[in-house]
Amino acid sequence: MSRSIVSKGKNVKEAVDRALNVLGTKNSGVDIEIIETEYKGIILGLGSKPAVVRVTLKQLNNAEEHPEHHLNLVKLLEMEINNIDFTEDSKSEEAVELKQAAAIQEDLHGKVWVREGHIFCKDAPNKYPLVSPAQGVKLYKNNEAVEKTVIVSENDILTVELSDEERAPKWELLLSDNKMEALLKIVPGVRIYRRLKDAAPSNFIQLEVEEKIIPIMIDSGSMMNEIRAIGIVHGVDYTEIARACTSDEAGTFIIAKGNPPTPGKNGCFLPIKEVTIKKGVMERPDGTVDYREIQEFPSVERGQVLGVIQPPMPGIPGQTTTNEFVPPPEALPLTVQEGRGVVLVEDGTKVVAIEAGQPDIKMIGTTAKISVVPKLVVGTDVSLQSGNVRYIGDVEVLGSVQDGMLVEAQGNILVHGSVFKSKIIAGNSVIIHKNAISSTISAGKSSMLEQELTGILGGVYNQLSQMMVAMHQIMSVSAFKVRTIDRTGLGPLLKILCDGKFKSVPPLIISLCNKIKTGKCELDPEWLSLAELLHQNFITPQASGLRSMYDLEVFLKKVEMVYKSAATEKEAVNCFIKASYLQNCELYSAGDIQIAGNGIYNSKLYAKGMIQLDGYVRGGEIFAEKGVKIREAGTKGGIPTKIQVPKDQTIMINCALEETVIQIGNKTHTFTRETQLVRARLDEIENLILQ
């Protein structure tokens, strides 16, 4: 029988010599088959391939076929293999050769494979190896491009073209508008090296490409030169620059920050006396609440210091990334308008009350209007003997308000007793220590009126601003004779504009003036003065006192001041109603309503704020724009109770009895049985949710 071995070497001769050495014979006793010739590579030996041969012993004589001789040859081969280090780190050339030779011993006929970037194949009579090019790989067979699967043979020259790629990094320096930040936008560069992926011998292989991506770092030296070139010298973050230069992901880095200026503090008023109304109830030492002891309105006596005027505090300058000085915003002094009952002393640094009453402070920007609202104290009941009470300030009734009487005040009203079948109308807040029976109570009437007036005045202000722009444009035309305006004033021009492009102005002003006239007893004098000027200058322009554009600008500033003052005061007014018990009453509040005692019976309540009832609600209607909280609502078998809020608010009831109707937005629900801990609201699609 014959024996063979596959061997390899740097060339055919070396491969044959190694095989003969293992077999222990000479050339004369073997058959030699050359499987692969050596390949020296293209450049510096890269891609070189060893020669591979199969050496087969010729038919042996009887002596050579002796089992003992055969055993010696096998042992010799085992010794050769056992003496080779097959570890991955081995440098032994023979170990690599024997392992590769062992791999080649498998049947390669009819197969194709890829090794170290080259395509190899072995012919077979009944098998045809196939190769399919991959996307991005240009495959050539015998110097002809191949675009689809192709049959290959040993005699074909198979080559591929793979292109490496290099993308240079991109970066851009940006400076913020205020020069407080320097930004570095980067897109990192890469080098992409491509080669064919090794493929094991197979009848068909799909060529695959593997890529090695190496990032290209940004040259920090050239970047620093650019940073200095555009003047960035302050607040430079060198660590962030290094991180940006070595980043392998695109991004924006803040590489320098300036120091923003520190704003100062405007002048302000520091009250010495408590000037805000406390809406909370008094708490006893044991933690219980005394609903009768409600916090009174703050008050001052003649000669008492209300507060001091603090001067402005300047800010600290800042510094940009380009080392430029940035001044802080100007700290403005507080302008104090002396209202009724106060005077400024000690060079305008202190505010002193010259009348007794409640301090009233209204802040509009850096202007403070400080007044003392006088308070009228009625020592007995308001009855037929005392007559109705009307007062421009606050009213305090030490007794009760009897049947059919009226108490009206532009400020606050405090009633220590009860209110019976009467009207209570307050510009701000109402507190009734005891009960209200069959009465009408209103808090914030002037706030309602001012809210309506403010909306109309806003429209007037916008129209007059546009009118002034139009007048400037008219006067800039060369054909317009300015001398005529100097002689007649702005009246004729205002009439032309009001009869033409600004027809909506006179009706707006008439509506505003009529409403101001209707509520003149409830409004500040500035509203009355404004109404008179608007009517004179725009409704009867022939009597207009506006002689020049400067006069119009001054007048427009007055309109703006009143408008902004009213808009600010509308939010700042502290309106609410407090009482212990209501029966058959109607209440309106521009703010909240709180019934802190037993509850209410068959009454109607409307609040622009929130309604909180610590007791029960038996019948009637309740509406609150900012939600409702009730301990118990409804009656057992009695008249229905309706509770309503807008669609974005919540109704909370600890115990809802039958016939209680709740409405949120346009969604309603009627309770048919007693329900505990109700929390009703609308979800995102406006379905009524009961929790």
Side-chain angles (χ1 to χ4, degrees), residues 612-638:
Q612 181 172 346
L613 306 176
D614 297 338
Y616 57 79
V617 180
R618 304 280 191 252
E621 298 178 6
I622 290 176
F623 178 86
E625 291 191 5
K626 296 186 178 180
V628 171
K629 290 184 179 180
I630 300 174
R631 183 172 64 83
E632 182 179 304
T635 60
K636 295 182 179 180

mmCIF file of all heavy atoms in Angstrom, residues 612-638:
data_model
loop_
_atom_site.group_PDB
_atom_site.id
_atom_site.type_symbol
_atom_site.label_atom_id
_atom_site.label_comp_id
_atom_site.label_asym_id
_atom_site.label_seq_id
_atom_site.Cartn_x
_atom_site.Cartn_y
_atom_site.Cartn_z
ATOM 1 N N GLN A 612 -64.124 77.680 48.722
ATOM 2 C CA GLN A 612 -63.849 76.642 49.711
ATOM 3 C C GLN A 612 -64.915 76.717 50.797
ATOM 4 O O GLN A 612 -65.085 77.759 51.438
ATOM 5 C CB GLN A 612 -62.456 76.794 50.312
ATOM 6 C CG GLN A 612 -62.125 75.721 51.335
ATOM 7 C CD GLN A 612 -60.680 75.761 51.774
ATOM 8 O OE1 GLN A 612 -59.856 76.406 51.152
ATOM 9 N NE2 GLN A 612 -60.380 75.078 52.858
ATOM 10 N N LEU A 613 -65.616 75.614 50.998
ATOM 11 C CA LEU A 613 -66.685 75.545 51.990
ATOM 12 C C LEU A 613 -66.331 74.461 52.998
ATOM 13 O O LEU A 613 -66.292 73.273 52.669
ATOM 14 C CB LEU A 613 -68.022 75.221 51.318
ATOM 15 C CG LEU A 613 -68.430 76.166 50.157
ATOM 16 C CD1 LEU A 613 -69.710 75.700 49.519
ATOM 17 C CD2 LEU A 613 -68.574 77.587 50.664
ATOM 18 N N ASP A 614 -66.080 74.895 54.241
ATOM 19 C CA ASP A 614 -65.696 73.937 55.275
ATOM 20 C C ASP A 614 -66.896 73.192 55.845
ATOM 21 O O ASP A 614 -66.726 72.226 56.600
ATOM 22 C CB ASP A 614 -64.954 74.657 56.412
ATOM 23 C CG ASP A 614 -63.654 75.274 55.916
ATOM 24 O OD1 ASP A 614 -63.146 74.806 54.876
ATOM 25 O OD2 ASP A 614 -63.165 76.214 56.562
ATOM 26 N N GLY A 615 -68.088 73.619 55.500
ATOM 27 C CA GLY A 615 -69.291 72.952 55.989
ATOM 28 C C GLY A 615 -70.044 72.297 54.848
ATOM 29 O O GLY A 615 -69.465 71.758 53.910
ATOM 30 N N TYR A 616 -71.393 72.393 54.891
ATOM 31 C CA TYR A 616 -72.229 71.723 53.900
ATOM 32 C C TYR A 616 -72.782 72.732 52.898
ATOM 33 O O TYR A 616 -72.763 73.952 53.119
ATOM 34 C CB TYR A 616 -73.385 70.980 54.586
ATOM 35 C CG TYR A 616 -74.254 71.876 55.438
ATOM 36 C CD1 TYR A 616 -75.223 72.707 54.871
ATOM 37 C CD2 TYR A 616 -74.103 71.884 56.829
ATOM 38 C CE1 TYR A 616 -76.009 73.523 55.656
ATOM 39 C CE2 TYR A 616 -74.890 72.702 57.617
ATOM 40 C CZ TYR A 616 -75.845 73.519 57.020
ATOM 41 O OH TYR A 616 -76.615 74.330 57.796
ATOM 42 N N VAL A 617 -73.285 72.197 51.777
ATOM 43 C CA VAL A 617 -73.996 72.985 50.769
ATOM 44 C C VAL A 617 -75.334 72.297 50.549
ATOM 45 O O VAL A 617 -75.381 71.145 50.094
ATOM 46 C CB VAL A 617 -73.217 73.068 49.445
ATOM 47 C CG1 VAL A 617 -74.003 73.891 48.432
ATOM 48 C CG2 VAL A 617 -71.844 73.661 49.664
ATOM 49 N N ARG A 618 -76.388 73.011 50.869
ATOM 50 C CA ARG A 618 -77.731 72.468 50.702
ATOM 51 C C ARG A 618 -78.469 73.304 49.658
ATOM 52 O O ARG A 618 -78.912 74.417 49.928
ATOM 53 C CB ARG A 618 -78.501 72.504 52.022
ATOM 54 C CG ARG A 618 -77.819 71.792 53.177
ATOM 55 C CD ARG A 618 -78.023 70.287 53.102
ATOM 56 N NE ARG A 618 -77.592 69.644 54.331
ATOM 57 C CZ ARG A 618 -76.486 68.907 54.428
ATOM 58 N NH1 ARG A 618 -75.712 68.731 53.365
ATOM 59 N NH2 ARG A 618 -76.165 68.344 55.577
ATOM 60 N N GLY A 619 -78.561 72.791 48.446
ATOM 61 C CA GLY A 619 -79.256 73.490 47.386
ATOM 62 C C GLY A 619 -78.471 74.684 46.862
ATOM 63 O O GLY A 619 -77.417 75.047 47.365
ATOM 64 N N GLY A 620 -79.015 75.305 45.808
ATOM 65 C CA GLY A 620 -78.380 76.482 45.244
ATOM 66 C C GLY A 620 -77.396 76.145 44.134
ATOM 67 O O GLY A 620 -77.301 75.006 43.656
ATOM 68 N N GLU A 621 -76.628 77.164 43.717
ATOM 69 C CA GLU A 621 -75.682 77.029 42.616
ATOM 70 C C GLU A 621 -74.343 77.637 43.018
ATOM 71 O O GLU A 621 -74.294 78.673 43.689
ATOM 72 C CB GLU A 621 -76.207 77.730 41.367
ATOM 73 C CG GLU A 621 -77.515 77.160 40.832
ATOM 74 C CD GLU A 621 -78.011 77.915 39.616
ATOM 75 O OE1 GLU A 621 -77.272 78.809 39.133
ATOM 76 O OE2 GLU A 621 -79.124 77.620 39.149
ATOM 77 N N ILE A 622 -73.285 76.980 42.574
ATOM 78 C CA ILE A 622 -71.930 77.447 42.874
ATOM 79 C C ILE A 622 -71.121 77.408 41.582
ATOM 80 O O ILE A 622 -71.149 76.414 40.851
ATOM 81 C CB ILE A 622 -71.261 76.553 43.943
ATOM 82 C CG1 ILE A 622 -71.920 76.760 45.302
ATOM 83 C CG2 ILE A 622 -69.771 76.824 44.030
ATOM 84 C CD1 ILE A 622 -71.380 75.847 46.374
ATOM 85 N N PHE A 623 -70.416 78.496 41.311
ATOM 86 C CA PHE A 623 -69.486 78.527 40.176
ATOM 87 C C PHE A 623 -68.192 79.189 40.629
ATOM 88 O O PHE A 623 -68.211 80.267 41.245
ATOM 89 C CB PHE A 623 -70.056 79.309 38.994
ATOM 90 C CG PHE A 623 -69.088 79.394 37.839
ATOM 91 C CD1 PHE A 623 -69.025 78.390 36.883
ATOM 92 C CD2 PHE A 623 -68.206 80.463 37.727
ATOM 93 C CE1 PHE A 623 -68.121 78.459 35.833
ATOM 94 C CE2 PHE A 623 -67.293 80.545 36.684
ATOM 95 C CZ PHE A 623 -67.259 79.536 35.736
ATOM 96 N N ALA A 624 -67.059 78.533 40.331
ATOM 97 C CA ALA A 624 -65.748 79.095 40.669
ATOM 98 C C ALA A 624 -64.797 78.855 39.507
ATOM 99 O O ALA A 624 -64.688 77.733 39.000
ATOM 100 C CB ALA A 624 -65.192 78.456 41.948
ATOM 101 N N GLU A 625 -64.110 79.902 39.090
ATOM 102 C CA GLU A 625 -63.218 79.790 37.940
ATOM 103 C C GLU A 625 -61.935 79.026 38.254
ATOM 104 O O GLU A 625 -61.256 78.555 37.358
ATOM 105 C CB GLU A 625 -62.874 81.177 37.389
ATOM 106 C CG GLU A 625 -64.052 81.883 36.742
ATOM 107 C CD GLU A 625 -63.622 83.125 35.982
ATOM 108 O OE1 GLU A 625 -62.408 83.377 35.881
ATOM 109 O OE2 GLU A 625 -64.520 83.831 35.475
ATOM 110 N N LYS A 626 -61.586 78.882 39.539
ATOM 111 C CA LYS A 626 -60.330 78.216 39.887
ATOM 112 C C LYS A 626 -60.531 77.007 40.794
ATOM 113 O O LYS A 626 -59.633 76.626 41.532
ATOM 114 C CB LYS A 626 -59.366 79.211 40.534
ATOM 115 C CG LYS A 626 -58.938 80.321 39.586
ATOM 116 C CD LYS A 626 -57.879 81.223 40.196
ATOM 117 C CE LYS A 626 -57.438 82.294 39.216
ATOM 118 N NZ LYS A 626 -56.404 83.194 39.794
ATOM 119 N N GLY A 627 -61.699 76.388 40.725
ATOM 120 C CA GLY A 627 -61.915 75.144 41.442
ATOM 121 C C GLY A 627 -62.747 75.300 42.698
ATOM 122 O O GLY A 627 -62.918 76.403 43.230
ATOM 123 N N VAL A 628 -63.256 74.145 43.171
ATOM 124 C CA VAL A 628 -64.151 74.116 44.325
ATOM 125 C C VAL A 628 -63.705 73.013 45.276
ATOM 126 O O VAL A 628 -63.366 71.911 44.853
ATOM 127 C CB VAL A 628 -65.610 73.866 43.882
ATOM 128 C CG1 VAL A 628 -66.501 73.626 45.090
ATOM 129 C CG2 VAL A 628 -66.131 75.040 43.065
ATOM 130 N N LYS A 629 -63.718 73.329 46.593
ATOM 131 C CA LYS A 629 -63.494 72.336 47.642
ATOM 132 C C LYS A 629 -64.650 72.431 48.632
ATOM 133 O O LYS A 629 -64.893 73.496 49.201
ATOM 134 C CB LYS A 629 -62.171 72.583 48.362
ATOM 135 C CG LYS A 629 -60.936 72.289 47.529
ATOM 136 C CD LYS A 629 -59.674 72.474 48.359
ATOM 137 C CE LYS A 629 -58.436 72.161 47.538
ATOM 138 N NZ LYS A 629 -57.189 72.337 48.340
ATOM 139 N N ILE A 630 -65.361 71.318 48.858
ATOM 140 C CA ILE A 630 -66.548 71.302 49.719
ATOM 141 C C ILE A 630 -66.480 70.073 50.620
ATOM 142 O O ILE A 630 -66.078 68.990 50.190
ATOM 143 C CB ILE A 630 -67.840 71.260 48.875
ATOM 144 C CG1 ILE A 630 -67.931 72.498 47.964
ATOM 145 C CG2 ILE A 630 -69.077 71.174 49.765
ATOM 146 C CD1 ILE A 630 -69.085 72.464 47.017
ATOM 147 N N ARG A 631 -66.917 70.261 51.891
ATOM 148 C CA ARG A 631 -66.935 69.112 52.794
ATOM 149 C C ARG A 631 -68.117 68.196 52.477
ATOM 150 O O ARG A 631 -67.956 66.989 52.367
ATOM 151 C CB ARG A 631 -66.995 69.566 54.251
ATOM 152 C CG ARG A 631 -66.951 68.406 55.249
ATOM 153 C CD ARG A 631 -66.813 68.895 56.681
ATOM 154 N NE ARG A 631 -67.967 69.675 57.103
ATOM 155 C CZ ARG A 631 -69.098 69.134 57.565
ATOM 156 N NH1 ARG A 631 -69.247 67.827 57.626
ATOM 157 N NH2 ARG A 631 -70.095 69.916 57.947
ATOM 158 N N GLU A 632 -69.324 68.783 52.335
ATOM 159 C CA GLU A 632 -70.506 67.968 52.040
ATOM 160 C C GLU A 632 -71.441 68.753 51.144
ATOM 161 O O GLU A 632 -71.688 69.944 51.371
ATOM 162 C CB GLU A 632 -71.221 67.576 53.338
ATOM 163 C CG GLU A 632 -72.435 66.681 53.120
ATOM 164 C CD GLU A 632 -73.099 66.294 54.417
ATOM 165 O OE1 GLU A 632 -72.398 65.732 55.302
ATOM 166 O OE2 GLU A 632 -74.313 66.558 54.561
ATOM 167 N N ALA A 633 -71.968 68.094 50.100
ATOM 168 C CA ALA A 633 -72.848 68.764 49.142
ATOM 169 C C ALA A 633 -74.089 67.923 48.917
ATOM 170 O O ALA A 633 -74.038 66.687 48.891
ATOM 171 C CB ALA A 633 -72.122 68.996 47.821
ATOM 172 N N GLY A 634 -75.235 68.626 48.731
ATOM 173 C CA GLY A 634 -76.482 67.947 48.422
ATOM 174 C C GLY A 634 -77.373 67.780 49.626
ATOM 175 O O GLY A 634 -77.019 68.115 50.761
ATOM 176 N N THR A 635 -78.571 67.268 49.357
ATOM 177 C CA THR A 635 -79.545 67.014 50.417
ATOM 178 C C THR A 635 -80.150 65.639 50.199
ATOM 179 O O THR A 635 -80.109 65.093 49.093
ATOM 180 C CB THR A 635 -80.673 68.063 50.387
ATOM 181 O OG1 THR A 635 -81.329 68.001 49.108
ATOM 182 C CG2 THR A 635 -80.142 69.455 50.604
ATOM 183 N N LYS A 636 -80.699 65.080 51.246
ATOM 184 C CA LYS A 636 -81.353 63.778 51.151
ATOM 185 C C LYS A 636 -82.820 63.987 50.808
ATOM 186 O O LYS A 636 -83.626 64.337 51.655
ATOM 187 C CB LYS A 636 -81.200 63.012 52.457
ATOM 188 C CG LYS A 636 -79.751 62.654 52.776
ATOM 189 C CD LYS A 636 -79.637 61.857 54.059
ATOM 190 C CE LYS A 636 -78.181 61.494 54.325
ATOM 191 N NZ LYS A 636 -78.011 60.710 55.574
ATOM 192 N N GLY A 637 -83.118 63.795 49.519
ATOM 193 C CA GLY A 637 -84.495 63.945 49.062
ATOM 194 C C GLY A 637 -84.932 65.376 48.921
ATOM 195 O O GLY A 637 -86.123 65.650 48.751
ATOM 196 N N GLY A 638 -84.002 66.339 48.983
ATOM 197 C CA GLY A 638 -84.371 67.746 48.888
ATOM 198 C C GLY A 638 -84.103 68.318 47.511
ATOM 199 O O GLY A 638 -84.035 67.614 46.505
#
